[in-house]
């Protein structure tokens, strides 16, 4: 087996770093976060699409750190709302709001729309860049339906109002280990593994 390479995960969130370190554990890489490197700079997010935002972030931090960098962008797309909240998922209803305020806004925008028209998906784009340029981008999705009221206490964000069709439970009712197998992030990470293995030269 070749030498272990450093892979910067473009996040300050130690939970996200740990999640990627677990999802990508089979790779010959040491995972470090922006917090580990003491980096506070942030690129301008352009809000055009998940893949574009992930590429922008990966390249920005690869150039800043001089290391291969993985960045992601994710969110929820509701079909009846033309894909909203989409890339604005974290800021839906305005800055400084809570997860609950955001999913309540989503429920009120969907109003009385019937279940068959409440289809939605979580989408995650992962981009990997070296200082020379973007190496690849992959995506993962998890399909579901927006409920009319919240259920479950695990997870975060929109999990209580996202019914995962293939499991018959909301994302917040699923055990975290189950969510971490079927989530949009897990699926994007699975798609990234062979490409990352080649990029790391392992
Ligand atoms: P980010 O890609 O970590 O910035 O996520 C953007 C936003 O999308 C989060 O703040 C959440 O509102 C939403 N989101 C992303 N992934 C999930 C998830 O697994 N469950 C619930 N909400 C999510």
């Amino acid at each position: 087996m070749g030498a272990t390479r450093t892979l910067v995960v473009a996040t300050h969130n130690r939970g996200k770093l740990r999640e990627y370190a677990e999802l990508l554990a089979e790779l010959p890489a040491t995972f470090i976060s922006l917090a580990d490197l003491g980096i506070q700079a942030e690129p301008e997010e352009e809000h055009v699409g998940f893949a574009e935002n992930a590429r922008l972030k990966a390249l920005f931090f690869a150039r800043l750190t001089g290391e291969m960098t993985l960045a992601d962008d994710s969110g929820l797309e509701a079909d009846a709302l033309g894909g909203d909240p989409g890339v604005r998922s974290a800021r839906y209803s305005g800055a400084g709001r809570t997860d609950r305020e955001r999913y309540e806004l989503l429920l009120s925008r969907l109003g009385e729309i019937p279940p068959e028209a409440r289809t939605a998906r979580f989408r995650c784009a992962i981009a990997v860049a070296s200082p020379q340029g973007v190496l690849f981008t992959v995506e993962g999705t998890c399909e579901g339906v927006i409920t009319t009221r919240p259920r479950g206490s695990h997870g975060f964000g929109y999990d209580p109002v996202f019914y995962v069709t293939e499991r018959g439970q909301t994302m917040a009712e699923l055990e975290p280990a189950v969510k971490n197998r079927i989530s949009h992030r897990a699926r994007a990470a699975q798609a990234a593994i062979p490409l990352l293995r080649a990029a790391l030269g392992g």
Side-chain angles (χ1 to χ4, degrees):
M1 192 166 149
T4 294
R5 293 266 315 262
T6 295
L7 185 70
V8 173
V9 180
T11 182
H12 291 98
N13 179 332
R14 288 190 192 278
K16 194 180 250 191
L17 176 74
R18 202 166 36 243
E19 190 178 346
Y20 275 115
E22 283 167 16
L23 289 168
L24 303 173
E26 65 191 78
L27 293 172
T30 303
F31 301 90
I32 55 174
S33 73
L34 299 175
D36 295 327
L37 294 167
I39 290 175
Q40 267 152 30
E42 283 291 345
E44 286 290 311
E45 267 195 47
E46 287 174 343
H47 307 153
V48 281
F50 296 114
E52 290 82 354
N53 285 340
R55 281 196 280 272
L56 192 83
K57 244 192 294 185
L59 191 56
F60 178 87
F61 288 111
R63 290 195 168 142
L64 195 67
T65 62
E67 299 283 358
M68 194 181 292
T69 300
L70 177 153
D72 74 356
D73 195 34
S74 63
L76 178 68
E77 298 173 345
D79 293 325
L81 301 177
D84 272 357
V87 291
R88 295 176 51 248
S89 292
R91 296 172 296 278
Y92 202 45
S93 86
R97 299 301 178 94
T98 62
D99 279 349
R100 182 175 174 163
E101 286 170 314
R102 281 186 280 275
Y103 72 61
E104 282 180 346
L105 176 65
L106 176 71
L107 294 184
S108 80
R109 293 251 162 102
L110 286 171
E112 302 295 309
I113 290 175
E116 62 274 17
R118 297 173 82 93
T119 50
R121 71 204 51 74
F122 280 118
R123 186 182 295 279
C124 174
I126 291 178
V128 173
S130 75
Q132 287 72 43
V134 174
L135 300 172
F136 66 83
T137 313
V138 290
E139 286 200 352
T141 57
C142 183
E143 298 286 333
V145 173
I146 306 299
T147 58
T148 50
R149 67 182 77 83
R151 273 190 354 226
S153 54
H154 298 300
F156 70 101
Y158 299 89
D159 284 346
V161 298
F162 186 87
Y163 178 85
V164 186
T165 317
E166 70 186 76
R167 305 295 306 199
Q169 287 182 304
T170 69
M171 202 69 121
E173 290 175 314
L174 293 179
E175 288 302 321
V178 175
K179 175 180 173 182
N180 291 342
R181 273 203 311 278
I182 62 149
S183 77
H184 46 312
R185 245 182 315 282
R187 287 173 174 159
Q190 274 302 313
I193 285 175
L195 299 164
L196 257 175
R197 192 185 299 285
L200 291 163

